[in-house]
Every structure is written in structure tokens, then in C-alpha cells.
Amino acid sequence: ASTRLELHALPSATAVRIEGTLEDDLDQPLDGRNVLLTLEAADDASPSAAASRTLRTDRAGRFVQALTRGTGRYTLHASFAGDSQHDGTIFSQTFDVTRADVQLQLILPRGSVIALDDAATEFEVRASSAVGAARLSLDVRDETGRELARGVTDEQGVWRGTLQNAQLGAPGPGQWMASSTQDAQRAPGRTRVSVLRQRATELKLTAVTFDAEREA
């Protein structure tokens, strides 16, 4: 089964608090797995030796670690080597520790199911940040990278939209990703959810008359 890593970096005066999760392709947490984190400078303006830690996920698939840093832009690499039942995965994210972290949550009315027989699907993206989440520019894309929608959060950090199901692709599993654009105070944010595009199944039965005497 495939796996994915979700990361959030929360900077403080002398360190970066890393909060992440490791999940399989059904969004189920993977516990008791090792995840390697490496934090390194992303440009020459903030030279620093790379800091690495190996963490073990808890029952919810989560891991938390504080990594020492200086100032400027940094790249965080997270990797899971895989096991006998799960593929390995690598995730990298570059961020500016002078900007506040943004956390996003993508919500669908039927959980992960998209009923293609309906005319449209509503969705909601909820954003949060230590400096507020109003007026964030966001977009939603599918697993191919195709943009499905673009919008801006309201004063409560919420963006609601509606997608026409005829434009969402063929039935089958996929992933949707919501992303926010960085601004003067806030770093970019991103989250992913697994989706299942479905159509109703129609079963047709045909009655056949059986003549016992003729068969005899």
C-alpha cells in the first residue's frame, strides 16, 4: 500500500517544532514506524549544519520533534523507508521561519466519497494560524495536479465552494490537495485527503420461466 506524510513546522525563537503524521492510502495512521527528519538551510543567507532526528510514530501515526535553527529559509525533509506491507515515501517542504505556520483542513460532506451521480459537490477548507487565517489565497487540486477551484478565506479562516461533478473525472480513488499561498506574515500551507469518486450501481434481473415437464 502507498503511504503519505503530512508536516507542519511551528517556529519559535531558537527552534522549529515539527508536527507530522504518517498514513496509508486509506488515511489510516501507521503506528510504530520510524520517520527520519532532516532540517537544512535553503539558501546561503542562513548557513547551518543539517540537523537530523529519527522519530517513531505513536498510535495516531503522529510524531513531534523540536529542531534547532537560526533565521531565514529552511527545507525540511521527512522520509519513511517502508515495510513489508507499505511503500516508502519522502516529503520535502521549504519554509521561512520568519513567517507563521498555516494549518489547513479540507472537508467534504460525505467524508471521502464523491457521488458523481449528483450534480455538484460542496467542500470547505478551514485554515488556522497564530497570526490569523483571514484573506488567505487558496486552491484545490486533484491527484493529477489539475486545479479544481480557487478562492479566499473569510474573516473566520473558512473558504466554502461548489464543484460541478461532471468536471471531476472518472470513478475511482484519488487525492485532493488544498494549498495556501504565503504572504508577508504567513508561510504556505498544504493538506491532502484521499477521495473516492463513485457512481450508483444498477442491477438488472431478467425472469426466465422454467417448464419442468418439457425438461423431463
Side-chain angles (χ1 to χ4, degrees):
S2 62
T3 57
R4 67 184 180 92
L5 286 158
E6 189 91 8
L7 292 173
H8 294 287
L10 308 176
S12 66
T14 59
V16 177
R17 176 182 169 89
I18 306 302
E19 298 181 358
T21 56
L22 175 65
E23 299 176 338
D24 64 15
D25 55 350
L26 298 177
D27 295 334
Q28 295 301 306
L30 298 179
D31 67 329
R33 270 74 169 187
N34 290 333
V35 175
L36 176 65
L37 292 181
T38 302
L39 186 70
E40 60 183 16
D43 52 45
D44 295 335
S46 50
S48 174
S52 297
R53 299 287 189 279
T54 298
L55 307 177
R56 198 163 182 85
T57 58
D58 64 14
R59 295 182 61 183
R62 295 176 298 187
F63 50 91
V64 178
Q65 178 66 49
L67 300 178
T68 303
R69 58 85 170 167
T71 59
R73 295 174 63 250
Y74 284 76
T75 298
L76 176 66
H77 307 283
S79 62
F80 166 59
D83 55 30
S84 60
Q85 295 180 315
H86 301 93
D87 296 333
T89 185
I90 299 174
F91 179 76
S92 297
Q93 179 177 342
T94 299
F95 58 94
D96 187 338
V97 296
T98 64
R99 291 181 169 91
D101 182 62
V102 172
Q103 299 192 29
L104 303 177
Q105 184 180 15
L106 176 57
I107 301 171
L108 300 173
R110 297 186 180 182
S112 63
V113 175
I114 300 171
L116 294 177
D117 292 314
D118 295 343
T121 294
E122 297 180 348
F123 68 89
E124 180 175 294
V125 179
R126 299 177 184 175
S128 61
S129 176
V131 296
R135 296 178 296 281
L136 273 172
S137 296
L138 297 152
D139 65 45
V140 173
R141 298 177 182 269
D142 65 13
E143 66 275 8
T144 69
R146 179 171 61 101
E147 184 179 289
L148 302 176
R150 181 177 292 272
V152 178
T153 57
D154 60 20
E155 294 302 314
Q156 286 71 48
V158 177
W159 169 41
R160 297 181 178 90
T162 302
L163 299 172
Q164 298 303 307
N165 286 353
Q167 309 299 320
L168 298 184
Q175 284 193 343
W176 284 7
M177 182 171 70
S179 302
S180 65
T181 304
Q182 76 173 27
D183 56 23
Q185 291 184 297
R186 297 167 293 198
R190 182 170 68 172
T191 190
R192 292 180 292 180
V193 297
S194 296
V195 298
L196 181 61
R197 296 179 287 265
Q198 287 186 338
R199 289 198 181 278
T201 301
E202 182 178 352
L203 179 64
K204 293 184 177 180
L205 299 176
T206 302
V208 178
T209 302
F210 178 71
D211 190 334
E213 292 184 358
R214 180 175 296 178
E215 291 294 325

